[in-house]
Amino acid sequence: MVSEEILRTHLQELRRGTVVVASLVALRRPDYGYALLQRLTHHGFPVDANTLYPLLRRLEDQGLLTSEWNTEESRPRKFYRTSPDGEAVLDRLLTDLSAVQTSMTALLEGVDR
C-alpha cells in the first residue's frame, strides 16, 4: 500500500504547474490574493497562501502579471491581472496542457501514435 505521504508528494508536484495556469486564467479578471485563493479552491485548485503569494510575486517579477494597489477601501489591497506577456505564456501553456491530455488519453486507451 502506498503511503499517504508519497501520494501527497506526487499530487503536489502534479498540481504545482496547474496552479500557475489556473492563476493566469483566473487573473484575466483583476483580483486580490485572498479572493484568488478562494476562487482557485472553489474551482478545485486548493493552494496554500504560503504558496500562492510567492507565486504571485514571481509571476509579477517575470512580467506575467501586473498589479496595482487599491487604497479606496479601509484596508489597501494589491490587485493582480494577467499581463499581455502572461496571456502569451498562458496560450502556450494551455496548448501544451491540451497536448499532454491528448497523449495521456491515448496512452490510457492503448492507442499507438
Side-chain angles (χ1 to χ4, degrees):
M1 185 76 158
V2 176
S3 75
E4 283 297 315
E5 182 62 28
I6 290 172
L7 180 58
R8 189 171 28 257
T9 298
H10 288 291
L11 287 172
Q12 182 180 21
E13 288 177 17
L14 181 63
R15 289 184 178 271
R16 186 171 288 134
T18 58
V19 169
V20 170
V21 174
S23 296
L24 290 172
V25 168
L27 290 172
R28 286 175 160 168
R29 182 183 84 207
D31 220 341
Y32 61 98
Y34 184 72
L36 175 62
L37 190 68
Q38 291 179 315
R39 191 155 38 131
L40 291 175
T41 299
H42 176 76
H43 287 283
F45 296 94
V47 60
D48 187 76
N50 292 328
T51 299
L52 183 64
Y53 289 107
L55 171 67
L56 292 174
R57 285 191 294 276
R58 181 171 54 89
L59 294 175
E60 185 177 20
D61 289 346
Q62 293 171 345
L64 305 181
L65 295 178
T66 60
S67 68
E68 61 183 55
W69 285 94
N70 178 349
T71 57
E72 296 173 5
E73 298 178 23
S74 61
R75 192 172 130 225
R77 293 181 177 173
K78 189 173 187 178
F79 279 74
Y80 295 91
R81 168 177 237 149
T82 303
S83 70
D85 284 348
E87 284 289 342
V89 168
L90 176 59
D91 184 55
R92 292 284 308 273
L93 293 174
L94 289 172
T95 298
D96 195 62
L97 187 59
S98 178
V100 167
Q101 180 62 44
T102 299
S103 296
M104 187 60 66
T105 299
L107 186 63
L108 287 167
E109 292 174 355
V111 175
D112 288 332
R113 292 186 84 188

